[in-house]
Amino acid sequence: MSLAQLVRKKFQRLPEGGVIASRELHRLSTQSQSVDKAASRLYKTEGLRKLRNGLYYKPYNSKYFGELPPGEREVLRAVQKQYNARISPSGALAAYEMGLVQSLPDVIAYETDKRIGPIQLGNHKILFNKVLDTRLRTVEASLLSLLKAIEFIHAQDDELTPLQHKRIGRLLGGYPTKQVLEAISLWPRRFQEEVKLLLQALAKPYISGLSALNIPHLGKQADWHQMGMLHSGKFQVVGRNYDGAPGLAEDELFECGEFLRKFDLDVGTTLCATPARAIKDILYTSIIRNNRYPSFFMLDQYMLDIPKPAIISVVEDLKMIANQEQKKILKEWAHDNELD
């Protein structure tokens, strides 16, 4: 098959609204200039439009609005490919996209480590501002956007509204505290302190791990190891002596004060993880934090009334933040506990 045929085939497979960078076609041949020339010569005959040199898109034809340009996300993906660039939204844009402010900024701007000219997209223009910022390459992309959004809001010198507090808390809770602290070390000290205050507000100590599995939930029988825990008075408490998985939701905790008072116990909190959340924290601490197979925690050793799909969901959530080795351990544990 000739180079022209290969390029034509790639163009034909592009869905409506899709964008392709000529750099993505370079894998078709070692002669990159020949690929670029073929793409420039063939895109019109295949019904594509040119955003700029090296960037082509297939229009989406709407029944009511006619031919439409591609979506912004598709354009950004292609720009990153074409220029091998790191791209991050401005603080104002990030705050809007995350629902922290209601007004779309007048200028749609992204920060990047490469020199990229503006792109006209429908009735608005996308600007790319080249910056010398180590954060672009050292901070995970979604966390970088979140921190820049928080920075933008604080720069307005307005108090955070209750809704903003709740939304920021939920978003920050999706990252391990250690990761956030490492990231904000690249910001000025004043901003670091502001984020640390937000993190402190999130840190609700709660009983978890095996301790939580010993406390009745919704009136159901607790685990058979309960008496040893009550006798020792030693509890695993997230925020004090135990690690908790990121992304804690309000419905993953329940009030256990009545149970603790029954045994005259004071552990500094009356919040307890639900059984599914406790399992998530156990696997997170053992596998994600310590890279260890949790041989001490096999489901058939405990009296747990938890639906199998709920435990599978826990494992799948942890895979989203696990590296390759940790994913292997999660898969092995799931298999050993007959979850696959």
Side-chain angles (χ1 to χ4, degrees):
M1 189 177 293
S2 69
L3 178 58
Q5 290 174 317
L6 290 172
V7 171
R8 184 178 285 112
K9 192 173 182 180
K10 285 287 186 180
F11 283 165
Q12 291 172 348
R13 288 180 177 176
L14 191 66
E16 288 189 348
V19 185
I20 191 168
S22 62
R23 189 165 184 159
E24 295 180 76
L25 303 172
H26 287 178
R27 68 190 68 174
L28 299 177
S29 171
T30 57
Q31 303 296 318
S32 58
Q33 288 186 346
S34 298
V35 175
D36 291 341
K37 288 179 180 178
S40 180
R41 186 175 67 252
L42 295 170
Y43 79 91
K44 285 185 179 179
T45 60
E46 298 305 323
L48 272 61
R49 304 285 185 271
K50 181 190 289 187
L51 275 173
R52 64 170 350 149
N53 287 339
L55 292 177
Y56 308 98
Y57 73 95
K58 182 174 289 186
Y60 174 76
N61 289 292
S62 167
K63 180 179 179 181
Y64 301 102
F65 302 103
E67 188 176 292
L68 298 176
E72 193 167 305
R73 289 186 182 277
E74 278 294 305
V75 173
L76 293 175
R77 184 201 62 79
V79 167
Q80 286 178 305
K81 290 281 188 180
Q82 181 68 7
Y83 296 93
N84 191 26
R86 295 177 184 273
I87 296 175
S88 178
S90 66
L93 181 58
Y96 174 77
E97 291 178 338
M98 293 178 182
L100 297 173
V101 297
Q102 295 182 345
S103 300
L104 179 69
D106 295 333
V107 178
I108 306 301
Y110 291 84
E111 294 179 349
T112 177
D113 58 348
K114 299 291 175 65
R115 192 174 299 281
I116 304 172
I119 292 179
Q120 190 69 39
L121 195 61
N123 59 1
H124 75 277
K125 183 183 292 186
I126 303 176
L127 299 180
F128 298 94
N129 300 322
K130 184 180 179 181
V131 296
L132 297 174
D133 192 341
T134 57
R135 295 177 298 189
L136 275 173
R137 65 173 183 273
T138 57
V139 180
E140 192 274 328
S142 62
L143 177 57
L144 176 60
S145 295
L146 173 57
L147 293 174
K148 288 166 65 177
I150 297 172
E151 183 181 36
F152 167 77
I153 293 172
H154 278 279
Q156 311 307 302
D157 290 327
D158 293 330
E159 291 290 329
L160 290 177
T161 67
L163 286 177
Q164 285 175 325
H165 258 297
K166 188 173 183 179
R167 177 67 176 159
I168 289 173
R170 185 179 296 115
L171 292 169
L172 274 177
Y175 302 92
T177 300
K178 182 180 179 182
Q179 183 183 5
V180 177
L181 292 175
E182 289 176 352
I184 62 174
S185 67
L186 300 171
W187 267 264
R189 185 171 296 277
R190 180 182 175 186
F191 180 70
Q192 293 181 41
E193 296 306 317
E194 290 170 346
V195 175
K196 286 177 181 178
L197 288 174
L198 292 170
L199 290 174
Q200 289 174 9
L202 289 175
K204 292 181 181 177
Y206 65 92
I207 300 168
S208 190
L210 296 180
S211 297
L213 297 179
N214 280 276
I215 296 177
H217 176 241
L218 298 178
K220 294 182 180 179
Q221 176 74 35
D223 181 64
W224 59 272
H225 297 79
Q226 184 186 91
M227 295 314 298
M229 180 196 71
L230 297 176
H231 178 72
S232 68
K234 295 180 179 179
F235 287 72
Q236 293 163 320
V237 179
V238 169
R240 292 185 181 161
N241 60 7
Y242 201 70
D243 289 319
L248 177 68
E250 292 182 8
D251 60 1
E252 291 182 302
L253 299 179
F254 69 96
E255 177 65 39
C256 65
E258 184 178 349
F259 173 85
L260 296 176
R261 287 189 292 272
K262 187 188 302 183
F263 296 94
D264 196 26
L265 292 168
D266 182 4
V267 296
T269 181
T270 58
L271 294 174
C272 183
T274 61
R277 177 68 198 191
I279 291 176
K280 190 172 189 177
D281 288 343
I282 289 170
L283 297 180
Y284 174 81
T285 299
S286 183
I287 299 175
I288 307 300
R289 294 288 288 169
N290 298 316
N291 291 293
R292 295 176 183 171
Y293 181 92
S295 55
F296 66 91
F297 183 65
M298 306 303 287
L299 296 178
D300 60 3
Q301 299 174 0
Y302 296 85
M303 298 172 60
L304 302 174
D305 186 15
I306 307 175
K308 183 176 177 179
I311 303 178
I312 293 174
S313 178
V314 164
V315 174
E316 292 303 314
D317 283 350
L318 291 175
K319 285 181 180 178
M320 299 293 290
I321 59 173
N323 60 34
Q324 290 304 312
E325 183 60 31
Q326 292 161 353
K327 287 178 181 177
K328 289 180 182 178
I329 300 175
L330 282 166
K331 184 177 181 180
E332 181 183 357
W333 183 86
H335 174 74
D336 293 346
N337 286 275
E338 299 180 352
L339 296 175
D340 49 12

